[in-house]
Amino acid sequence: MNLILLGPPGAGKGTQAVKIVEKYSIPHISTGDIFRENIKKGTELGKKAQEYMNKGELVPDDLVVEIACARLLEDDCKEGFLLDGFPRTVYQAEKLDEFLAGCGRKVEHVLDIAVEKEELITRLIGRRVCRSCGASYHIVNMPPKKEGVCDICGGELYQRADDTEETVANRIEVYEAQTMPLIDYYEKAGVIAHIDGATGLDNVFADIVSVLG
Ligand code: AP5
Ligand code: MG
Ligand code: ZN
């Protein structure tokens, strides 16, 4: 099962990814998470990526493609994978197709999660993330039982550096200009399914499962 989660910032890609990987036993590969991990560790890659991420711009294609393909070569991806936030440009999608073709594989499903802009902004500005396990909360829609503390692991909740009003607006613009053309790209490949991302967590997941079977 080779899957891609497509959708604007705040559509719920990360939230649904947790449920999908649990049900289908495939690894969750989020390029955003890989970059944040590297920023935390202070690696060279982290330093390069941080400049772009903090402004809500895309990290340069070649850097992202290299990281993603290296991850896809790891053993746990043999039976399938769930890509979250990659590819994000037509160039990245073409490189991914070339890479997969080289291993006799292909993209099987692209789940395009759509949510309107106002709702995306509300979700992102109110999001809090666990420093230890990565679980996502929302200060109004999905508050933790105890403020600032993760329900799952007791870790500290923080606000992502790119979840400020100004950066969120830019991320959405960047999505519309650079990532939305992928909808057409995967439409032509006949692998895309459109999911309404505004129907509540469990309904969104049920729609995804009905596509994947
Ligand atoms: P990345 O980490 O991928 O961020 P993003 O695409 O902006 O998406 P988010 O993680 O913000 O949103 P999400 O869809 O995962 O939503 P979530 O489930 O958390 O990328 C960050 C940056 O890294 C990029 O800007 C770029 O600089 C760089 N980068 C990464 N990949 C790259 C690439 N391929 N090329 C170039 N650069 C790259 O949910 C959001 C909130 O909504 C949460 O609070 C959640 O609780 C809530 N929520 C979720 N679902 C629902 C629901 N159904 N109802 C109500 N609330 C919900
Ligand atoms: Mg995410
Ligand atoms: Zn946690």
Side-chain angles (χ1 to χ4, degrees):
M1 205 173 243
N2 305 332
L3 314 178
I4 294 176
L5 277 177
L6 189 66
K13 301 183 295 295
T15 305
Q16 294 300 326
V18 174
K19 296 159 87 73
I20 297 169
V21 302
E22 196 193 358
K23 183 167 171 74
Y24 296 98
S25 305
I26 48 176
H28 173 203
I29 304 173
S30 155
T31 39
D33 286 349
I34 295 174
F35 292 135
R36 280 184 290 276
E37 194 69 17
N38 277 274
I39 292 172
K40 198 159 108 187
K41 290 184 188 147
T43 67
E44 276 311 307
L45 172 67
K47 282 177 199 151
K48 275 188 212 158
Q50 189 166 28
E51 288 178 49
Y52 299 95
M53 290 173 78
N54 285 350
K55 289 186 280 188
E57 301 291 336
L58 295 184
V59 174
D61 278 340
D62 286 320
L63 196 60
V64 188
V65 169
E66 192 187 321
I67 303 295
C69 293
R71 179 64 187 87
L72 288 170
L73 283 173
E74 286 178 35
D75 264 0
D76 61 344
C77 297
K78 284 202 175 112
E79 304 297 322
F81 51 77
L82 175 65
L83 287 167
D84 160 5
F86 177 87
R88 243 173 161 100
T89 61
V90 170
Y91 178 85
Q92 291 180 18
E94 289 167 349
K95 288 288 159 191
L96 175 66
D97 281 345
E98 277 171 32
F99 169 82
L100 291 174
C103 335
R105 309 177 65 176
K106 62 181 171 53
V107 171
E108 284 156 336
H109 293 282
V110 176
L111 302 160
D112 168 39
I113 308 181
V115 173
E116 62 148 322
K117 202 165 165 175
E118 291 307 309
E119 167 74 7
L120 295 174
I121 296 172
T122 311
R123 284 186 187 185
L124 291 173
I125 290 172
R127 173 168 59 183
R128 297 294 180 273
V129 184
C130 174
R131 256 190 222 290
S132 311
C133 75
S136 262
Y137 297 85
H138 188 280
I139 49 173
V140 179
N141 303 340
M142 243 180 281
K145 291 194 183 92
K146 189 172 170 218
E147 197 188 320
V149 180
C150 177
D151 291 347
I152 301 164
C153 76
E156 181 203 355
L157 303 186
Y158 79 106
Q159 183 168 25
R160 259 170 55 173
D162 60 349
D163 280 348
T164 60
E165 218 165 317
E166 202 188 341
T167 310
V168 162
N170 192 40
R171 283 160 62 201
I172 294 172
E173 271 176 37
V174 166
Y175 170 80
E176 287 170 350
Q178 300 189 53
T179 309
M180 266 178 80
L182 284 182
I183 296 178
D184 207 37
Y185 181 91
Y186 287 118
E187 202 81 67
K188 287 190 181 118
V191 290
I192 201 164
H194 303 284
I195 308 280
D196 180 354
T199 57
L201 285 190
D202 295 333
N203 292 328
V204 175
F205 185 59
D207 288 346
I208 290 175
V209 171
S210 74
V211 170
L212 300 180

